[in-house]
Amino acid sequence: MGPYTITYFAVRGRCSALKIMLADKGQEWKEVVVDFPDWMKGSLKGTCVFGQLPKFQDGDLVLFQSNAMLRHLGRNHDAYGHDGKEAALIDMMCDGVEDLRLKYIKMIYQEYDTGKDAFIKDLPNHLDKFEAVMTKNKTGFLVGNKSSFADYNLFDLLLNLVVLSSTCLDSFPSLKSFVGKMSAQPKIKAFLDSDAYKKLPINGNGKQ
Ligand SMILES: N[C@@H](CCC(=O)N[C@@H](CSC(=S)NCCc1ccccc1)C(=O)NCC(=O)O)C(=O)O
């Protein structure tokens, strides 16, 4: 696999789950950081399948859609379950994470001042679904007995949510333990402690 190149804006956004997974799998990658004014000129945008970033290159394979990138790495780095049934459940959980991520993104970019408090108030109604799955599975992962791309996606989103509301996991012990264990994984810890990660804002509008 590889070499890997990630082309994105100078934000964590939709690429930090991907990078956390790559780091945990001991992989290296190149980054092409796109300046927003350059992006607005349209030459790169016109080459993107959906007119958007991130763009992910794995050798001569070029992918768009951040969840497709996670699935591709899941297939190639033993993070897509032990069989078709687990793979289907992992897909389901990744789609569930995407639903919550989209609500988060909408609040951050479109409704931060008027909608932040309501979002935080409603958050337990979403976190309790992931808490129930994590608790029922008993392994410390969403599905099966090893980390999948859905776990990296959830972990990244939970890190953002804890920045937004530091106490949001206090009523969810399985999720809190999950974040603690993932954060303590040596390769993940090294990446989260790196300047490459820390120097980037979570979102593109300075809100978090
Ligand atoms: N379904 C896609 C969504 C990709 C996406 O939304 N990309 C955004 C960036 S990712 C994101 S969280 N966007 C939120 C707002 C934003 C825009 C530009 C820079 C940073 C953030 C983008 O390319 N915006 C520029 C454009 O559409 O011309 C995926 O999962 O990759």
Side-chain angles (χ1 to χ4, degrees), residues 132-178:
V133 170
M134 198 70 81
T135 305
K136 186 179 177 189
N137 192 41
K138 293 187 176 63
T139 64
F141 304 106
L142 285 169
V143 178
N145 59 9
K146 68 191 303 295
S147 57
S148 74
F149 64 83
D151 291 304
Y152 295 109
N153 200 10
L154 176 64
F155 173 60
D156 170 62
L157 181 57
L158 292 178
L159 290 180
N160 293 350
L161 294 173
V162 167
V163 169
L164 179 74
S165 167
S166 60
T167 60
C168 74
L169 298 184
D170 287 359
S171 306
F172 304 107
S174 293
L175 293 181
K176 196 153 192 174
S177 167
F178 169 71

mmCIF file of all heavy atoms in Angstrom, residues 132-178:
data_model
loop_
_atom_site.group_PDB
_atom_site.id
_atom_site.type_symbol
_atom_site.label_atom_id
_atom_site.label_comp_id
_atom_site.label_asym_id
_atom_site.label_seq_id
_atom_site.Cartn_x
_atom_site.Cartn_y
_atom_site.Cartn_z
ATOM 1 N N ALA A 132 -24.394 2.650 24.100
ATOM 2 C CA ALA A 132 -25.110 1.362 24.174
ATOM 3 C C ALA A 132 -24.395 0.304 23.337
ATOM 4 O O ALA A 132 -24.206 -0.837 23.780
ATOM 5 C CB ALA A 132 -26.549 1.548 23.703
ATOM 6 N N VAL A 133 -23.950 0.683 22.142
ATOM 7 C CA VAL A 133 -23.250 -0.275 21.266
ATOM 8 C C VAL A 133 -21.924 -0.695 21.885
ATOM 9 O O VAL A 133 -21.576 -1.873 21.943
ATOM 10 C CB VAL A 133 -23.039 0.346 19.870
ATOM 11 C CG1 VAL A 133 -22.105 -0.511 19.015
ATOM 12 C CG2 VAL A 133 -24.382 0.526 19.163
ATOM 13 N N MET A 134 -21.195 0.306 22.390
ATOM 14 C CA MET A 134 -19.871 0.039 22.982
ATOM 15 C C MET A 134 -20.024 -0.836 24.225
ATOM 16 O O MET A 134 -19.268 -1.783 24.438
ATOM 17 C CB MET A 134 -19.214 1.374 23.341
ATOM 18 C CG MET A 134 -17.726 1.322 23.557
ATOM 19 S SD MET A 134 -16.789 1.027 22.062
ATOM 20 C CE MET A 134 -16.743 2.657 21.347
ATOM 21 N N THR A 135 -21.029 -0.549 25.039
ATOM 22 C CA THR A 135 -21.249 -1.321 26.271
ATOM 23 C C THR A 135 -21.664 -2.751 25.947
ATOM 24 O O THR A 135 -21.154 -3.714 26.511
ATOM 25 C CB THR A 135 -22.337 -0.630 27.123
ATOM 26 O OG1 THR A 135 -21.965 0.717 27.363
ATOM 27 C CG2 THR A 135 -22.548 -1.373 28.437
ATOM 28 N N LYS A 136 -22.563 -2.905 24.987
ATOM 29 C CA LYS A 136 -23.062 -4.243 24.625
ATOM 30 C C LYS A 136 -21.962 -5.104 24.008
ATOM 31 O O LYS A 136 -21.896 -6.314 24.243
ATOM 32 C CB LYS A 136 -24.225 -4.094 23.639
ATOM 33 C CG LYS A 136 -24.921 -5.409 23.298
ATOM 34 C CD LYS A 136 -26.085 -5.193 22.341
ATOM 35 C CE LYS A 136 -26.737 -6.532 21.951
ATOM 36 N NZ LYS A 136 -27.739 -6.346 20.851
ATOM 37 N N ASN A 137 -21.070 -4.490 23.247
ATOM 38 C CA ASN A 137 -20.035 -5.266 22.548
ATOM 39 C C ASN A 137 -18.959 -5.773 23.508
ATOM 40 O O ASN A 137 -18.311 -6.785 23.231
ATOM 41 C CB ASN A 137 -19.393 -4.432 21.428
ATOM 42 C CG ASN A 137 -18.541 -5.292 20.506
ATOM 43 O OD1 ASN A 137 -18.928 -6.410 20.159
ATOM 44 N ND2 ASN A 137 -17.379 -4.785 20.127
ATOM 45 N N LYS A 138 -18.763 -5.049 24.623
ATOM 46 C CA LYS A 138 -17.879 -5.483 25.715
ATOM 47 C C LYS A 138 -16.368 -5.580 25.386
ATOM 48 O O LYS A 138 -15.567 -5.907 26.261
ATOM 49 C CB LYS A 138 -18.333 -6.848 26.274
ATOM 50 C CG LYS A 138 -19.670 -6.838 26.992
ATOM 51 C CD LYS A 138 -19.943 -8.201 27.647
ATOM 52 C CE LYS A 138 -21.237 -8.181 28.450
ATOM 53 N NZ LYS A 138 -22.419 -7.921 27.599
ATOM 54 N N THR A 139 -15.967 -5.356 24.143
ATOM 55 C CA THR A 139 -14.544 -5.530 23.800
ATOM 56 C C THR A 139 -13.764 -4.222 23.842
ATOM 57 O O THR A 139 -12.548 -4.219 23.699
ATOM 58 C CB THR A 139 -14.420 -6.058 22.343
ATOM 59 O OG1 THR A 139 -14.947 -5.048 21.457
ATOM 60 C CG2 THR A 139 -15.175 -7.365 22.179
ATOM 61 N N GLY A 140 -14.468 -3.104 24.012
ATOM 62 C CA GLY A 140 -13.786 -1.804 23.943
ATOM 63 C C GLY A 140 -13.772 -1.236 22.538
ATOM 64 O O GLY A 140 -13.185 -0.173 22.294
ATOM 65 N N PHE A 141 -14.428 -1.968 21.612
ATOM 66 C CA PHE A 141 -14.555 -1.468 20.241
ATOM 67 C C PHE A 141 -16.035 -1.492 19.832
ATOM 68 O O PHE A 141 -16.836 -2.195 20.465
ATOM 69 C CB PHE A 141 -13.721 -2.335 19.292
ATOM 70 C CG PHE A 141 -12.275 -2.409 19.686
ATOM 71 C CD1 PHE A 141 -11.766 -3.575 20.273
ATOM 72 C CD2 PHE A 141 -11.433 -1.319 19.531
ATOM 73 C CE1 PHE A 141 -10.430 -3.641 20.669
ATOM 74 C CE2 PHE A 141 -10.099 -1.380 19.921
ATOM 75 C CZ PHE A 141 -9.594 -2.537 20.501
ATOM 76 N N LEU A 142 -16.362 -0.788 18.770
ATOM 77 C CA LEU A 142 -17.767 -0.727 18.355
ATOM 78 C C LEU A 142 -18.254 -2.085 17.843
ATOM 79 O O LEU A 142 -19.384 -2.499 18.107
ATOM 80 C CB LEU A 142 -17.940 0.328 17.262
ATOM 81 C CG LEU A 142 -17.906 1.785 17.717
ATOM 82 C CD1 LEU A 142 -17.807 2.701 16.493
ATOM 83 C CD2 LEU A 142 -19.144 2.125 18.551
ATOM 84 N N VAL A 143 -17.390 -2.783 17.101
ATOM 85 C CA VAL A 143 -17.761 -4.063 16.491
ATOM 86 C C VAL A 143 -16.582 -5.017 16.611
ATOM 87 O O VAL A 143 -15.436 -4.600 16.396
ATOM 88 C CB VAL A 143 -18.130 -3.891 14.991
ATOM 89 C CG1 VAL A 143 -18.458 -5.239 14.345
ATOM 90 C CG2 VAL A 143 -19.301 -2.923 14.822
ATOM 91 N N GLY A 144 -16.843 -6.257 16.951
ATOM 92 C CA GLY A 144 -15.775 -7.253 16.976
ATOM 93 C C GLY A 144 -14.789 -7.019 18.105
ATOM 94 O O GLY A 144 -15.092 -6.335 19.094
ATOM 95 N N ASN A 145 -13.576 -7.532 17.943
ATOM 96 C CA ASN A 145 -12.627 -7.467 19.070
ATOM 97 C C ASN A 145 -11.322 -6.769 18.699
ATOM 98 O O ASN A 145 -10.285 -6.985 19.327
ATOM 99 C CB ASN A 145 -12.324 -8.869 19.581
ATOM 100 C CG ASN A 145 -11.727 -9.751 18.484
ATOM 101 O OD1 ASN A 145 -11.404 -9.240 17.398
ATOM 102 N ND2 ASN A 145 -11.585 -11.025 18.766
ATOM 103 N N LYS A 146 -11.396 -5.925 17.638
ATOM 104 C CA LYS A 146 -10.226 -5.093 17.316
ATOM 105 C C LYS A 146 -10.694 -3.801 16.666
ATOM 106 O O LYS A 146 -11.836 -3.712 16.218
ATOM 107 C CB LYS A 146 -9.243 -5.834 16.418
ATOM 108 C CG LYS A 146 -9.739 -6.098 15.025
ATOM 109 C CD LYS A 146 -8.846 -7.056 14.260
ATOM 110 C CE LYS A 146 -7.430 -6.595 14.173
ATOM 111 N NZ LYS A 146 -7.220 -5.358 13.401
ATOM 112 N N SER A 147 -9.827 -2.818 16.626
ATOM 113 C CA SER A 147 -10.224 -1.500 16.117
ATOM 114 C C SER A 147 -10.572 -1.585 14.633
ATOM 115 O O SER A 147 -9.917 -2.304 13.857
ATOM 116 C CB SER A 147 -9.105 -0.487 16.352
ATOM 117 O OG SER A 147 -7.912 -0.934 15.749
ATOM 118 N N SER A 148 -11.613 -0.896 14.267
ATOM 119 C CA SER A 148 -12.012 -0.786 12.856
ATOM 120 C C SER A 148 -11.979 0.689 12.462
ATOM 121 O O SER A 148 -11.843 1.569 13.323
ATOM 122 C CB SER A 148 -13.431 -1.328 12.665
ATOM 123 O OG SER A 148 -14.373 -0.393 13.191
ATOM 124 N N PHE A 149 -12.167 0.966 11.191
ATOM 125 C CA PHE A 149 -12.146 2.359 10.736
ATOM 126 C C PHE A 149 -13.271 3.157 11.388
ATOM 127 O O PHE A 149 -13.156 4.361 11.597
ATOM 128 C CB PHE A 149 -12.198 2.444 9.212
ATOM 129 C CG PHE A 149 -13.453 1.927 8.573
ATOM 130 C CD1 PHE A 149 -14.581 2.734 8.478
ATOM 131 C CD2 PHE A 149 -13.519 0.630 8.083
ATOM 132 C CE1 PHE A 149 -15.747 2.256 7.903
ATOM 133 C CE2 PHE A 149 -14.681 0.142 7.483
ATOM 134 C CZ PHE A 149 -15.800 0.957 7.412
ATOM 135 N N ALA A 150 -14.366 2.458 11.760
ATOM 136 C CA ALA A 150 -15.475 3.158 12.452
ATOM 137 C C ALA A 150 -15.023 3.631 13.833
ATOM 138 O O ALA A 150 -15.441 4.706 14.298
ATOM 139 C CB ALA A 150 -16.689 2.234 12.567
ATOM 140 N N ASP A 151 -14.170 2.864 14.489
ATOM 141 C CA ASP A 151 -13.648 3.283 15.796
ATOM 142 C C ASP A 151 -12.798 4.545 15.665
ATOM 143 O O ASP A 151 -12.919 5.477 16.469
ATOM 144 C CB ASP A 151 -12.795 2.169 16.417
ATOM 145 C CG ASP A 151 -13.621 0.958 16.848
ATOM 146 O OD1 ASP A 151 -14.566 1.149 17.647
ATOM 147 O OD2 ASP A 151 -13.344 -0.158 16.369
ATOM 148 N N TYR A 152 -11.942 4.598 14.659
ATOM 149 C CA TYR A 152 -11.106 5.800 14.466
ATOM 150 C C TYR A 152 -11.964 7.018 14.145
ATOM 151 O O TYR A 152 -11.706 8.119 14.607
ATOM 152 C CB TYR A 152 -10.085 5.562 13.341
ATOM 153 C CG TYR A 152 -9.070 4.485 13.656
ATOM 154 C CD1 TYR A 152 -9.112 3.252 13.008
ATOM 155 C CD2 TYR A 152 -8.065 4.697 14.601
ATOM 156 C CE1 TYR A 152 -8.191 2.260 13.303
ATOM 157 C CE2 TYR A 152 -7.137 3.709 14.893
ATOM 158 C CZ TYR A 152 -7.203 2.493 14.244
ATOM 159 O OH TYR A 152 -6.284 1.507 14.539
ATOM 160 N N ASN A 153 -13.031 6.768 13.372
ATOM 161 C CA ASN A 153 -13.928 7.872 13.015
ATOM 162 C C ASN A 153 -14.648 8.388 14.251
ATOM 163 O O ASN A 153 -14.704 9.601 14.495
ATOM 164 C CB ASN A 153 -14.925 7.387 11.946
ATOM 165 C CG ASN A 153 -15.545 8.538 11.178
ATOM 166 O OD1 ASN A 153 -15.126 9.686 11.295
ATOM 167 N ND2 ASN A 153 -16.557 8.238 10.392
ATOM 168 N N LEU A 154 -15.171 7.450 15.064
ATOM 169 C CA LEU A 154 -15.851 7.854 16.308
ATOM 170 C C LEU A 154 -14.866 8.542 17.256
ATOM 171 O O LEU A 154 -15.177 9.604 17.828
ATOM 172 C CB LEU A 154 -16.472 6.642 16.986
ATOM 173 C CG LEU A 154 -17.127 6.915 18.358
ATOM 174 C CD1 LEU A 154 -18.311 7.858 18.213
ATOM 175 C CD2 LEU A 154 -17.550 5.598 19.033
ATOM 176 N N PHE A 155 -13.688 7.967 17.410
ATOM 177 C CA PHE A 155 -12.695 8.535 18.331
ATOM 178 C C PHE A 155 -12.378 9.980 17.962
ATOM 179 O O PHE A 155 -12.381 10.877 18.813
ATOM 180 C CB PHE A 155 -11.428 7.684 18.285
ATOM 181 C CG PHE A 155 -10.262 8.241 19.060
ATOM 182 C CD1 PHE A 155 -10.338 8.474 20.432
ATOM 183 C CD2 PHE A 155 -9.069 8.550 18.408
ATOM 184 C CE1 PHE A 155 -9.259 8.979 21.144
ATOM 185 C CE2 PHE A 155 -7.982 9.056 19.115
ATOM 186 C CZ PHE A 155 -8.085 9.273 20.487
ATOM 187 N N ASP A 156 -12.151 10.228 16.671
ATOM 188 C CA ASP A 156 -11.837 11.593 16.224
ATOM 189 C C ASP A 156 -12.990 12.545 16.529
ATOM 190 O O ASP A 156 -12.789 13.650 17.052
ATOM 191 C CB ASP A 156 -11.549 11.591 14.722
ATOM 192 C CG ASP A 156 -11.462 13.002 14.159
ATOM 193 O OD1 ASP A 156 -10.563 13.753 14.594
ATOM 194 O OD2 ASP A 156 -12.324 13.373 13.337
ATOM 195 N N LEU A 157 -14.208 12.113 16.254
ATOM 196 C CA LEU A 157 -15.363 12.983 16.507
ATOM 197 C C LEU A 157 -15.520 13.240 18.003
ATOM 198 O O LEU A 157 -15.774 14.384 18.422
ATOM 199 C CB LEU A 157 -16.636 12.357 15.926
ATOM 200 C CG LEU A 157 -17.922 13.179 16.095
ATOM 201 C CD1 LEU A 157 -17.776 14.563 15.472
ATOM 202 C CD2 LEU A 157 -19.105 12.426 15.490
ATOM 203 N N LEU A 158 -15.316 12.219 18.827
ATOM 204 C CA LEU A 158 -15.432 12.404 20.279
ATOM 205 C C LEU A 158 -14.385 13.388 20.789
ATOM 206 O O LEU A 158 -14.675 14.206 21.676
ATOM 207 C CB LEU A 158 -15.319 11.067 21.000
ATOM 208 C CG LEU A 158 -16.470 10.083 20.783
ATOM 209 C CD1 LEU A 158 -16.198 8.762 21.519
ATOM 210 C CD2 LEU A 158 -17.802 10.665 21.207
ATOM 211 N N LEU A 159 -13.175 13.354 20.219
ATOM 212 C CA LEU A 159 -12.150 14.321 20.619
ATOM 213 C C LEU A 159 -12.644 15.750 20.347
ATOM 214 O O LEU A 159 -12.465 16.649 21.169
ATOM 215 C CB LEU A 159 -10.849 14.072 19.866
ATOM 216 C CG LEU A 159 -10.048 12.813 20.214
ATOM 217 C CD1 LEU A 159 -8.787 12.738 19.349
ATOM 218 C CD2 LEU A 159 -9.689 12.767 21.700
ATOM 219 N N ASN A 160 -13.286 15.941 19.195
ATOM 220 C CA ASN A 160 -13.824 17.269 18.878
ATOM 221 C C ASN A 160 -14.935 17.660 19.848
ATOM 222 O O ASN A 160 -15.023 18.804 20.285
ATOM 223 C CB ASN A 160 -14.364 17.296 17.451
ATOM 224 C CG ASN A 160 -13.279 17.141 16.406
ATOM 225 O OD1 ASN A 160 -12.081 17.188 16.719
ATOM 226 N ND2 ASN A 160 -13.678 16.930 15.164
ATOM 227 N N LEU A 161 -15.801 16.690 20.164
ATOM 228 C CA LEU A 161 -16.960 16.981 21.023
ATOM 229 C C LEU A 161 -16.520 17.322 22.443
ATOM 230 O O LEU A 161 -17.123 18.182 23.098
ATOM 231 C CB LEU A 161 -17.938 15.804 21.015
ATOM 232 C CG LEU A 161 -18.618 15.529 19.676
ATOM 233 C CD1 LEU A 161 -19.432 14.240 19.735
ATOM 234 C CD2 LEU A 161 -19.479 16.710 19.238
ATOM 235 N N VAL A 162 -15.443 16.704 22.903
ATOM 236 C CA VAL A 162 -14.918 17.005 24.244
ATOM 237 C C VAL A 162 -14.329 18.415 24.288
ATOM 238 O O VAL A 162 -14.412 19.116 25.307
ATOM 239 C CB VAL A 162 -13.883 15.939 24.675
ATOM 240 C CG1 VAL A 162 -13.103 16.381 25.900
ATOM 241 C CG2 VAL A 162 -14.574 14.608 24.952
ATOM 242 N N VAL A 163 -13.791 18.862 23.150
ATOM 243 C CA VAL A 163 -13.311 20.260 23.070
ATOM 244 C C VAL A 163 -14.517 21.210 23.151
ATOM 245 O O VAL A 163 -14.500 22.219 23.857
ATOM 246 C CB VAL A 163 -12.519 20.497 21.768
ATOM 247 C CG1 VAL A 163 -12.262 21.992 21.538
ATOM 248 C CG2 VAL A 163 -11.211 19.716 21.797
ATOM 249 N N LEU A 164 -15.566 20.843 22.473
ATOM 250 C CA LEU A 164 -16.798 21.666 22.457
ATOM 251 C C LEU A 164 -17.439 21.686 23.842
ATOM 252 O O LEU A 164 -17.871 22.730 24.337
ATOM 253 C CB LEU A 164 -17.778 21.094 21.433
ATOM 254 C CG LEU A 164 -19.107 21.800 21.291
ATOM 255 C CD1 LEU A 164 -18.950 23.120 20.544
ATOM 256 C CD2 LEU A 164 -20.115 20.897 20.575
ATOM 257 N N SER A 165 -17.493 20.504 24.475
ATOM 258 C CA SER A 165 -18.129 20.377 25.794
ATOM 259 C C SER A 165 -17.330 19.378 26.633
ATOM 260 O O SER A 165 -17.449 18.157 26.451
ATOM 261 C CB SER A 165 -19.571 19.853 25.622
ATOM 262 O OG SER A 165 -20.097 19.447 26.864
ATOM 263 N N SER A 166 -16.506 19.888 27.516
ATOM 264 C CA SER A 166 -15.519 19.050 28.218
ATOM 265 C C SER A 166 -16.173 17.935 29.040
ATOM 266 O O SER A 166 -15.551 16.917 29.322
ATOM 267 C CB SER A 166 -14.660 19.921 29.135
ATOM 268 O OG SER A 166 -15.494 20.559 30.095
ATOM 269 N N THR A 167 -17.445 18.117 29.421
ATOM 270 C CA THR A 167 -18.114 17.121 30.281
ATOM 271 C C THR A 167 -19.039 16.196 29.500
ATOM 272 O O THR A 167 -19.754 15.389 30.100
ATOM 273 C CB THR A 167 -18.956 17.856 31.346
ATOM 274 O OG1 THR A 167 -19.933 18.678 30.661
ATOM 275 C CG2 THR A 167 -18.078 18.738 32.228
ATOM 276 N N CYS A 168 -19.024 16.293 28.155
ATOM 277 C CA CYS A 168 -20.058 15.571 27.366
ATOM 278 C C CYS A 168 -19.986 14.057 27.499
ATOM 279 O O CYS A 168 -20.965 13.358 27.257
ATOM 280 C CB CYS A 168 -20.008 16.002 25.903
ATOM 281 S SG CYS A 168 -18.633 15.364 24.945
ATOM 282 N N LEU A 169 -18.834 13.506 27.916
ATOM 283 C CA LEU A 169 -18.730 12.047 28.059
ATOM 284 C C LEU A 169 -18.888 11.578 29.497
ATOM 285 O O LEU A 169 -18.851 10.380 29.778
ATOM 286 C CB LEU A 169 -17.394 11.552 27.497
ATOM 287 C CG LEU A 169 -17.136 11.790 26.013
ATOM 288 C CD1 LEU A 169 -15.803 11.159 25.603
ATOM 289 C CD2 LEU A 169 -18.277 11.265 25.154
ATOM 290 N N ASP A 170 -19.103 12.507 30.417
ATOM 291 C CA ASP A 170 -19.119 12.148 31.847
ATOM 292 C C ASP A 170 -20.220 11.141 32.197
ATOM 293 O O ASP A 170 -20.074 10.366 33.131
ATOM 294 C CB ASP A 170 -19.271 13.409 32.708
ATOM 295 C CG ASP A 170 -17.993 14.242 32.723
ATOM 296 O OD1 ASP A 170 -17.000 13.811 32.074
ATOM 297 O OD2 ASP A 170 -17.985 15.321 33.339
ATOM 298 N N SER A 171 -21.300 11.131 31.422
ATOM 299 C CA SER A 171 -22.396 10.167 31.699
ATOM 300 C C SER A 171 -22.279 8.914 30.839
ATOM 301 O O SER A 171 -23.196 8.093 30.825
ATOM 302 C CB SER A 171 -23.753 10.840 31.431
ATOM 303 O OG SER A 171 -23.856 12.043 32.153
ATOM 304 N N PHE A 172 -21.160 8.791 30.115
ATOM 305 C CA PHE A 172 -21.011 7.664 29.189
ATOM 306 C C PHE A 172 -19.677 6.947 29.424
ATOM 307 O O PHE A 172 -18.691 7.176 28.718
ATOM 308 C CB PHE A 172 -21.134 8.168 27.751
ATOM 309 C CG PHE A 172 -22.421 8.906 27.488
ATOM 310 C CD1 PHE A 172 -22.435 10.275 27.327
ATOM 311 C CD2 PHE A 172 -23.635 8.217 27.460
ATOM 312 C CE1 PHE A 172 -23.625 10.960 27.118
ATOM 313 C CE2 PHE A 172 -24.831 8.891 27.253
ATOM 314 C CZ PHE A 172 -24.839 10.268 27.081
ATOM 315 N N PRO A 173 -19.631 6.072 30.434
ATOM 316 C CA PRO A 173 -18.366 5.441 30.858
ATOM 317 C C PRO A 173 -17.678 4.612 29.773
ATOM 318 O O PRO A 173 -16.449 4.612 29.684
ATOM 319 C CB PRO A 173 -18.778 4.566 32.046
ATOM 320 C CG PRO A 173 -20.262 4.454 31.987
ATOM 321 C CD PRO A 173 -20.760 5.683 31.322
ATOM 322 N N SER A 174 -18.477 3.946 28.936
ATOM 323 C CA SER A 174 -17.839 3.135 27.891
ATOM 324 C C SER A 174 -17.140 4.029 26.862
ATOM 325 O O SER A 174 -16.029 3.742 26.414
ATOM 326 C CB SER A 174 -18.885 2.257 27.192
ATOM 327 O OG SER A 174 -19.394 1.283 28.088
ATOM 328 N N LEU A 175 -17.797 5.133 26.513
ATOM 329 C CA LEU A 175 -17.188 6.061 25.551
ATOM 330 C C LEU A 175 -15.973 6.750 26.167
ATOM 331 O O LEU A 175 -14.948 6.942 25.519
ATOM 332 C CB LEU A 175 -18.214 7.088 25.087
ATOM 333 C CG LEU A 175 -19.375 6.577 24.247
ATOM 334 C CD1 LEU A 175 -20.297 7.735 23.855
ATOM 335 C CD2 LEU A 175 -18.889 5.830 23.014
ATOM 336 N N LYS A 176 -16.087 7.090 27.455
ATOM 337 C CA LYS A 176 -14.968 7.758 28.130
ATOM 338 C C LYS A 176 -13.762 6.826 28.183
ATOM 339 O O LYS A 176 -12.632 7.216 27.903
ATOM 340 C CB LYS A 176 -15.387 8.178 29.547
ATOM 341 C CG LYS A 176 -14.453 9.189 30.175
ATOM 342 C CD LYS A 176 -15.184 10.059 31.202
ATOM 343 C CE LYS A 176 -14.344 11.244 31.605
ATOM 344 N NZ LYS A 176 -15.055 12.183 32.481
ATOM 345 N N SER A 177 -14.027 5.557 28.469
ATOM 346 C CA SER A 177 -12.939 4.564 28.525
ATOM 347 C C SER A 177 -12.343 4.344 27.140
ATOM 348 O O SER A 177 -11.126 4.241 26.983
ATOM 349 C CB SER A 177 -13.493 3.251 29.079
ATOM 350 O OG SER A 177 -12.567 2.209 28.882
ATOM 351 N N PHE A 178 -13.216 4.342 26.119
ATOM 352 C CA PHE A 178 -12.779 4.170 24.724
ATOM 353 C C PHE A 178 -11.817 5.289 24.340
ATOM 354 O O PHE A 178 -10.737 5.057 23.802
ATOM 355 C CB PHE A 178 -14.016 4.153 23.825
ATOM 356 C CG PHE A 178 -13.756 4.233 22.354
ATOM 357 C CD1 PHE A 178 -13.198 3.161 21.661
ATOM 358 C CD2 PHE A 178 -14.094 5.379 21.639
ATOM 359 C CE1 PHE A 178 -12.976 3.233 20.281
ATOM 360 C CE2 PHE A 178 -13.880 5.453 20.269
ATOM 361 C CZ PHE A 178 -13.314 4.376 19.593
#
